Amino acid sequence: VQLQASGGGLVQAGGSQTISCEASGRTFNRYAIAWFRQAPGKEREFVAARRWNGGLTYYADSVKGRFTISRDNAKNTVYLQMNSLIPEDTAIYFCAARLWGNHWYKEDNVVKYAYWGQGTLVTVSS
């Protein structure tokens, strides 16, 4: 599994940014794709995730209602659309993947994700 994150940049508070995660290397039907982020001096934290097929999504409380995770099947790409950005959203954003097996379940623990992309930096200025 290879994950390539891109699309980070500098955005003003209140603005929007969409970052992308291109997935390759296998069929992802039984995978979940997640976004995590890590701010300077802080631990990596869960942001959002979705099942590759079926559209099931879930979010951290801190981003619920502002961020949307979506997928373009033709491009094998998962997006994170971020609206109403605040300076506290500044972080390196990582996409990650895990195999959920036969029964779907939500998972926000960083150690449960076996595959990681390289990260993309999002900076929100006040």
Side-chain angles (χ1 to χ4, degrees), residues 58-80:
Y58 54 102
Y59 300 88
D61 288 342
S62 59
V63 306
K64 203 172 294 182
R66 300 189 298 123
F67 290 11
T68 301
I69 186 170
S70 63
R71 185 206 71 187
D72 184 330
N73 195 41
K75 296 183 178 179
N76 249 29
T77 298
V78 172
Y79 302 95
L80 184 68

Side-chain angles (χ1 to χ4, degrees), residues 38-117:
Q38 189 165 15
K42 294 188 177 182
E43 293 187 351
R44 194 168 298 189
E45 65 175 4
F46 172 79
V47 175
R50 64 163 290 145
R51 200 169 78 173
W52 185 264
N53 284 342
L56 294 176
T57 62
Y58 54 102
Y59 300 88
D61 288 342
S62 59
V63 306
K64 203 172 294 182
R66 300 189 298 123
F67 290 11
T68 301
I69 186 170
S70 63
R71 185 206 71 187
D72 184 330
N73 195 41
K75 296 183 178 179
N76 249 29
T77 298
V78 172
Y79 302 95
L80 184 68
Q81 180 180 349
M82 305 178 287
N83 299 326
S84 302
L85 284 161
I86 58 178
E88 289 76 16
D89 294 319
T90 295
I92 299 174
Y93 283 73
F94 298 89
C95 57
R98 64 174 175 92
L99 183 65
W100 56 268
N102 294 322
H103 301 285
W104 168 251
Y105 60 97
K106 296 180 180 180
E107 181 60 73
D108 61 3
N109 190 333
V110 64
V111 302
K112 300 296 186 180
Y113 286 80
Y115 307 99
W116 291 83

Side-chain angles (χ1 to χ4, degrees), residues 26-46:
R26 62 188 59 189
T27 301
F28 290 92
N29 291 343
R30 289 197 175 274
Y31 280 79
I33 305 294
W35 287 99
F36 288 78
R37 67 186 181 185
Q38 189 165 15
K42 294 188 177 182
E43 293 187 351
R44 194 168 298 189
E45 65 175 4
F46 172 79

